[in-house]
Amino acid sequence: MKRMEPIRRQISRCPQPATRIVTRSTSIRLQWTLHVCEQHRHLAPRLNGSSYLNHKATRPAPAPPPRCGTMYDQQDAEQAISTHARLWLDAPGEGSWLERLRRAAALAAYTQADTADGLARLVQKADAGPREVLLGLADLETRYSQQ
């Protein structure tokens, strides 16, 4: 899959400036960069599916710091949607990014979740490609799902 430009996500509603940066990389490339305040350091390990954060691996945030929860996601579409699924998008099972999005939209509609309308619109826009869907997911995540 073609490498995309980073997608800016806001994964917390915290208005504080970030004090630390946490990154995740594979042996090949950077996956994401997350800016967090001291109170929200716990968000970083959740992105990895872990409960432990190696605080020695964090760095001070640059000046001027972005808002806490600002994330620059450089993952491929499947990985990025998996991150959304792990954090807040209820998309049980495996499959392509589109299959996971459809399952999440169906479940949100069934449970009458706040995200139901937004997910339904994203399924309709899926032909525009994963980047547009990821931007929409980032917006829904910010509005409905974070601390």
Side-chain angles (χ1 to χ4, degrees):
M1 186 170 277
K2 183 180 171 185
R3 184 172 177 186
M4 298 183 297
E5 290 296 315
I7 293 176
R8 183 182 181 278
R9 295 167 55 187
Q10 191 65 39
I11 68 168
S12 86
R13 292 185 183 145
C14 178
Q16 298 301 313
T19 57
R20 308 296 295 167
I21 296 174
V22 183
T23 60
R24 178 165 187 197
S25 299
T26 65
S27 60
I28 300 171
R29 68 180 177 92
L30 179 67
Q31 290 188 312
W32 49 259
T33 302
L34 176 63
H35 302 261
V36 292
C37 70
E38 295 302 315
Q39 181 182 354
H40 290 105
R41 292 181 313 212
H42 69 280
L43 293 175
R46 286 181 55 211
L47 290 169
N48 291 329
S50 173
S51 60
Y52 172 74
L53 173 63
N54 178 357
H55 294 285
K56 292 179 182 176
T58 67
R59 298 185 319 271
R67 192 175 120 201
C68 174
T70 301
M71 177 184 191
Y72 294 94
D73 194 339
Q74 299 185 27
Q75 302 175 90
D76 293 332
E78 187 70 32
Q79 292 170 315
I81 291 174
S82 292
T83 300
H84 280 283
R86 186 169 47 254
L87 289 175
W88 72 275
L89 184 62
D90 201 353
E94 298 297 319
S96 71
W97 65 270
L98 184 53
E99 291 166 345
R100 294 184 84 170
L101 179 65
R102 286 180 178 146
R103 282 197 305 273
L107 185 58
Y110 179 76
T111 62
Q112 298 178 351
D114 290 339
T115 56
D117 290 339
L119 288 171
R121 281 190 299 275
L122 286 175
V123 168
Q124 292 173 350
K125 289 174 47 175
D127 289 340
R131 181 167 175 78
E132 293 303 313
V133 170
L134 286 172
L135 289 169
L137 285 173
D139 181 54
L140 286 174
E141 179 182 39
T142 301
R143 285 193 282 151
Y144 297 109
S145 302
Q146 300 306 316
Q147 281 97 355

